[in-house]
Amino acid sequence: MANIKFDKERCKGCCLCVAECPRGNIRMSEILNKTGSIYAEVIDEGDCNGCALCCQMCPDMAIEIEEDEKQTCCEKGSEK
Amino acid sequence: MEFKKPTSLLDVPTHYCPGCGHGIVQRLVGEVIDELGIREKTIGTAPVGCAVLLYDYFDCDIIECSHGRSPAVATGIKRVLPDRVVFTYQGDGDLAAIGTAETIHVANRGENITIIFVNNAIYGMTGGQMAPTTITGQRTTTTQEGRGQNQEGPPLKVCELLASLDGVTYLERVAVSTPKDIMRAKKAVKKAFQNQIDEKGFSLVEVLSMCPTDWKVSSTAAVDFVNNEMKEVFPLGVFKDEK
Amino acid sequence: MSATTAPGHTETGKKLLLKGNELMVRAAIEAGCRFFAGYPITPQNEVPEYMSQLMPKVGGTFVQAESEIAAINMIFGASAAGARCMTSSSSPGISLKQEGISYIASAELPCVIANVQRGGPGLGNIRASQADYFQAVKGGGHGDYRLIVLAPASLDELQDLTMNAFDYADYYRNPVMILADGLLGQMAEPVDARPYEPILELPEKDFVLDGCKGREARVIKTLFLRPPKALVTHNMRLQKKYETIASELQLCENVQTDDAELVIAAYGMTARIAKGAVDMARQAGMKVGLIRPITLWPFPGPAFMEVAGTAKKLLVVEMSSGQFIEDVKLATECNIPVEFLGMGGGWYPTPENIFEKISAIYDK
Ligand SMILES: Cc1ncc(C[n+]2csc(CCOP(=O)(O)OP(=O)(O)O)c2C)c(N)n1
Ligand code: SF4
Ligand code: SF4
Ligand code: SF4
């Protein structure tokens, strides 16, 4: 599990992250954010593998992954 | 794995349209400036084009140049301050149409600067007119029937053009249309900056980038256009890498 | 050619015999100019040529740019980076620089631009001319901006004004144009080498982009979109600066105007020629004087008004078809008649031409 954070106010609703998630774990919101845009959100935080492909693709730096202290290399490896 | 906004970028939202590639390219430049620890000695140039507000996003010294003249301005700065890191950030209209002469000559002089060239095959800021890099058949507001119907000539290939110049050190064409491409683009950008720090001379990275708004397609279709159409016309790869 | 031995270290009292163009280079380097970019065009070629020789000797930079457009933009960069810098050209090349000059003026960056004017319009010819007067003093590029425009009439003055130009540019953070012409650029006369001393107390350059170490990042820009009135505010500030310059910097020479009934108004080399005509007229018993603006912008209006209060008539002489005369009429509010002798196309008057004109209009 990765500590992933979507900043819904930065999100412009381009949907590019949705297609990149290997786990199909991102969806677009039904409701709008303050800028009037739909926004991306993670479906199941527990299912995110921290691959950061969504972060790479996001043109608006709306997705961040925090370093998880508990996560070890072995755990990372076992995710593959 | 950790993924954070680069600290050399200000923590503000950008004015770019949803799905615009400029945001990605800008982030990569920011990350490279962070990783090389050069923020305090970097001077960037903002172009005339959608990236004109670069200085609202970068936390380093920036000068906004007239359309196409960034390479000349960068030359002036770099010659006065050779130990600083100077980069230009330019669109295709800026670099390959109005500023063609400046581009060719800055490259041929081998100025020790870094150029980040964002090729989105269109004039973004002015509302979607033909760019020198608009691909044949592509519809724009000034090529309504598709480029090629009115003797516009084929798209200009900047890396191929500059590769013939002896003054050039490093040329690579990358894209920001898939995460894999983006990671490769980052490496290229980093190398282009590292070259300057190592005083190796002129480096340019051409980045194929999305402009969903003026291509009049969805963000995902824009990514497909880069992957399926632009990469065909503008093959990715290293065009020059002088040791 | 007697080139200077050690630029930047002038022994006082040393006699120089250089062409105007070369003297300008020497004076610029003496004044600390360390960046030059230019593009060849007659009749100013000696400027880039001599710059390319001297700049390396003082650790400065000479760049032969790919065009005048590139050259002025290199100046934009060099000035932003903190260097005293200069570009030069002649009329068609100055036209190409106009967009860049507008940007530099808006960004309030100091620099010196020399125009060794030639005949126009178009490719014109390579004879001396003053036909770029409007372009120099009324804007030239787009937008509401002003250049400080200096018009030397001798090599001695060219040396002084070139040095002073850098001080004015730094002091007011404004581009300064030296409006010379092909005659001045090409002529040679002995001049005492003047060592550079700043004529003004120069402000610290707190705008320089040299990396943001130990300070906030800086931006130099000319786009003002937000708030909607940002550009109005910027323009108002510029105009205020121009008002200050206008009130502080008006240079003018009066020659025998005290008792003159007819006063010739001329600038630059034309004024130099007109001096000969004034002497001829005086010998012929006519009370003729000369008023010569040294700053074309700011235009020394009060000095002209004063002359209009004592003389009966003005005679404007210019190497163009009636540009300078407009400012003379404006400055004197047409209080006295203004006669004209001038022509475009690289024509220049002789003292005899002017004397003839004086004789024809003196008593009328
Ligand atoms: C001298 C001049 N000509 C034209 C323009 C208008 N203009 C502004 S941006 C632009 C094109 C920008 O396109 P590009 O360089 O491809 O950048 P993009 O906006 O696509 O990122 C043009 C023609 C200008 N500002 N200045
Ligand atoms: S980090 Fe990877 S797994 Fe997690 S949401 Fe993003 S793309 Fe999906
Ligand atoms: S890629 Fe970024 S901006 Fe686009 S939908 Fe996803 S989070 Fe939002
Ligand atoms: S018009 Fe195109 S290039 Fe400009 S911000 Fe929008 S998507 Fe980006």
Side-chain angles (χ1 to χ4, degrees):
Chain A
M1 182 188 126
N3 199 356
I4 190 157
K5 287 210 167 65
F6 281 67
D7 180 342
K8 75 174 190 186
E9 296 310 332
R10 272 191 98 102
C11 177
K12 290 179 184 159
C14 71
C15 308
L16 291 183
C17 53
V18 176
E20 294 306 333
C21 180
R23 306 217 163 190
N25 197 21
I26 306 174
R27 68 171 170 225
M28 300 308 294
S29 69
E30 299 281 327
I31 51 170
L32 307 180
N33 65 12
K34 283 185 197 146
T35 65
S37 162
I38 52 165
Y39 55 89
E41 51 192 8
V42 64
I43 299 168
D44 177 2
E45 258 182 67
D47 194 35
C48 168
N49 67 9
C51 67
L53 295 180
C54 55
C55 312
Q56 289 290 349
M57 200 62 218
C58 178
D60 289 287
M61 293 176 284
I63 319 168
E64 288 193 330
I65 298 178
E66 306 253 327
E67 188 91 69
D68 197 339
E69 295 297 324
K70 286 167 283 175
Q71 196 175 18
T72 65
C73 306
C74 308
E75 274 172 17
K76 258 189 200 165
S78 66
E79 298 240 316
K80 275 188 189 151
Chain B
M1 149 102 72
E2 194 191 34
F3 194 98
K4 291 264 187 200
K5 290 188 271 292
T7 57
S8 56
L9 292 187
L10 297 162
D11 190 8
V12 291
T14 67
H15 72 289
Y16 301 120
C17 309
C20 173
H22 276 303
I24 305 174
V25 182
Q26 211 167 277
R27 190 197 89 221
L28 297 182
V29 174
E31 287 176 357
V32 165
I33 291 175
D34 278 6
E35 286 168 25
L36 296 174
I38 52 174
R39 186 184 71 87
E40 292 187 327
K41 56 186 261 192
T42 295
I43 300 140
T45 71
V48 171
C50 281
V52 63
L53 298 179
L54 213 62
Y55 40 79
D56 283 350
Y57 311 132
F58 275 87
D59 190 16
C60 67
D61 284 2
I62 303 270
I63 184 168
E64 173 203 278
C65 305
S66 59
H67 198 17
R69 316 304 170 198
S70 290
V73 178
T75 298
I77 298 169
K78 185 72 184 184
R79 295 289 190 103
V80 173
L81 301 167
D83 61 344
R84 303 305 198 280
V85 176
V86 180
F87 77 93
T88 79
Y89 183 108
Q90 302 176 258
D92 40 54
D94 199 78
L95 180 138
I98 196 166
T100 313
E102 283 76 6
T103 303
I104 289 178
H105 287 277
V106 79
N108 197 51
R109 283 193 304 268
E111 296 291 346
N112 188 29
I113 63 164
T114 303
I115 291 190
I116 307 301
F117 165 38
V118 180
N119 176 359
N120 59 12
I122 201 130
Y123 280 15
M125 193 194 210
T126 40
Q129 299 82 8
M130 183 188 76
T133 51
T134 292
I135 66 176
T136 305
Q138 188 183 338
R139 289 171 195 267
T140 71
T141 59
T142 52
T143 58
Q144 307 255 353
E145 302 299 319
R147 181 177 188 154
Q149 300 297 308
N150 192 28
Q151 213 180 330
E152 297 92 354
L156 204 90
K157 299 179 183 176
V158 170
C159 282
E160 286 83 344
L161 188 74
L162 296 182
S164 67
L165 303 178
D166 291 340
V168 173
T169 299
Y170 173 58
L171 290 172
E172 181 165 352
R173 184 183 289 128
V174 295
V176 289
S177 48
T178 71
K180 205 169 146 209
D181 280 320
I182 292 168
M183 288 182 255
R184 228 185 35 212
K186 161 101 172 271
K187 279 203 184 108
V189 170
K190 191 163 184 177
K191 181 165 173 146
F193 274 88
Q194 188 65 52
N195 280 350
Q196 182 178 166
I197 295 166
D198 297 342
E199 294 179 16
K200 284 191 178 159
F202 181 81
S203 299
L204 178 146
V205 179
E206 173 174 349
V207 188
L208 305 186
S209 174
M210 297 78 73
C211 174
T213 301
D214 284 324
W215 295 349
K216 300 180 174 59
V217 297
S218 69
S219 300
T220 41
V223 161
D224 292 341
F225 183 77
V226 175
N227 287 332
N228 304 330
E229 316 268 343
M230 285 183 76
K231 284 180 185 173
E232 284 291 308
V233 180
F234 303 109
L236 305 188
V238 176
F239 287 80
K240 197 154 189 197
D241 190 6
E242 296 285 304
K243 292 293 171 255
Chain C
M1 188 192 63
S2 75
T4 56
T5 42
H9 303 279
T10 308
E11 313 126 57
T12 7
K14 191 178 165 191
K15 278 273 181 221
L16 301 170
L17 186 61
L18 293 168
K19 277 189 178 183
N21 285 336
E22 293 161 342
L23 185 70
M24 189 157 56
V25 171
R26 194 190 179 286
I29 289 180
E30 181 73 28
C33 176
R34 289 297 176 270
F35 186 96
F36 177 92
Y39 187 86
I41 182 168
T42 310
Q44 65 85 57
N45 286 324
E46 293 81 4
V47 182
E49 284 167 359
Y50 203 35
M51 278 285 181
S52 76
Q53 257 178 282
L54 295 195
M55 269 303 182
K57 293 188 188 161
V58 293
T61 302
F62 165 82
V63 185
Q64 178 164 335
E66 55 271 31
S67 70
E68 290 84 352
I69 299 174
I72 191 71
N73 283 287
M74 288 174 189
I75 295 302
F76 188 42
S79 182
R84 275 200 155 177
C85 53
M86 174 176 183
T87 183
S88 79
S89 188
S90 180
S91 311
I94 296 292
S95 293
L96 277 180
K97 290 186 197 290
Q98 293 302 330
E99 186 200 25
I101 293 173
S102 166
Y103 275 67
I104 292 173
S106 178
E108 297 187 80
L109 291 179
C111 72
V112 175
I113 304 150
N115 181 0
V116 185
Q117 295 170 91
R118 61 187 250 176
L123 195 51
N125 62 20
I126 57 170
R127 286 165 64 86
S129 168
Q130 295 181 319
D132 303 344
Y133 180 86
F134 281 159
Q135 188 192 53
V137 306
K138 307 289 181 194
H142 59 289
D144 270 334
Y145 73 89
R146 291 291 186 179
L147 299 179
I148 295 169
V149 183
L150 307 174
S154 69
L155 291 201
D156 205 34
E157 194 175 51
L158 177 65
Q159 175 174 240
D160 284 349
L161 290 184
T162 302
M163 289 182 184
N164 299 353
F166 287 94
D167 290 348
Y168 298 144
D170 282 343
Y171 186 77
Y172 293 112
R173 278 190 59 180
N174 207 68
V176 177
M177 177 171 278
I178 300 170
L179 194 66
D181 61 63
L183 272 179
L184 192 69
Q186 293 301 324
M187 73 187 269
E189 61 187 351
V191 165
D192 286 326
R194 174 194 143 186
Y196 170 71
E197 274 293 333
I199 54 163
L200 292 162
E201 203 168 306
L202 300 176
E204 198 202 326
K205 292 189 171 183
D206 57 5
F207 57 87
V208 167
L209 303 187
D210 54 358
C212 58
K213 192 167 181 169
R215 61 163 168 80
E216 300 248 298
R218 287 177 184 152
V219 173
I220 292 180
K221 62 167 192 156
T222 64
L223 179 72
F224 296 89
L225 291 177
R226 275 181 301 265
K229 280 209 163 165
L231 185 58
V232 173
T233 311
H234 176 65
N235 269 273
M236 275 166 49
R237 214 171 44 73
L238 287 180
Q239 291 304 321
K240 221 171 154 181
K241 179 175 86 172
Y242 299 147
E243 274 169 33
T244 307
I245 301 173
S247 70
E248 293 175 355
L249 183 67
Q250 290 184 17
L251 305 173
C252 190
E253 184 193 19
N254 288 52
V255 181
Q256 302 188 64
T257 51
D258 287 349
D259 66 336
E261 303 206 339
L262 173 72
V263 172
I264 300 174
Y267 69 93
M269 280 305 281
T270 313
R272 172 97 171 250
I273 296 166
K275 270 185 196 170
V278 169
D279 288 346
M280 290 164 79
R282 287 275 168 179
Q283 272 166 26
M286 291 182 272
K287 287 182 178 165
V288 176
L290 170 76
I291 182 163
R292 174 177 78 90
I294 298 167
T295 50
L296 298 180
W297 194 89
F299 195 84
F304 273 75
M305 203 48 153
E306 207 171 299
V307 160
T310 55
K312 290 190 180 137
K313 210 181 255 182
L314 283 166
L315 168 61
V316 167
V317 186
E318 58 181 296
M319 291 191 262
S320 41
S321 311
Q323 301 189 24
F324 171 58
I325 190 172
E326 289 195 6
D327 278 344
V328 174
K329 284 183 173 174
L330 274 173
T332 57
E333 294 174 7
C334 296
N335 284 351
I336 55 170
V338 182
E339 300 277 349
F340 181 68
L341 176 66
M343 209 181 284
W347 163 90
Y348 40 85
T350 60
E352 290 73 21
N353 295 147
I354 302 173
F355 177 69
E356 209 174 296
K357 181 79 183 180
I358 293 168
S359 310
I361 63 172
Y362 187 75
D363 280 330
K364 300 269 152 56

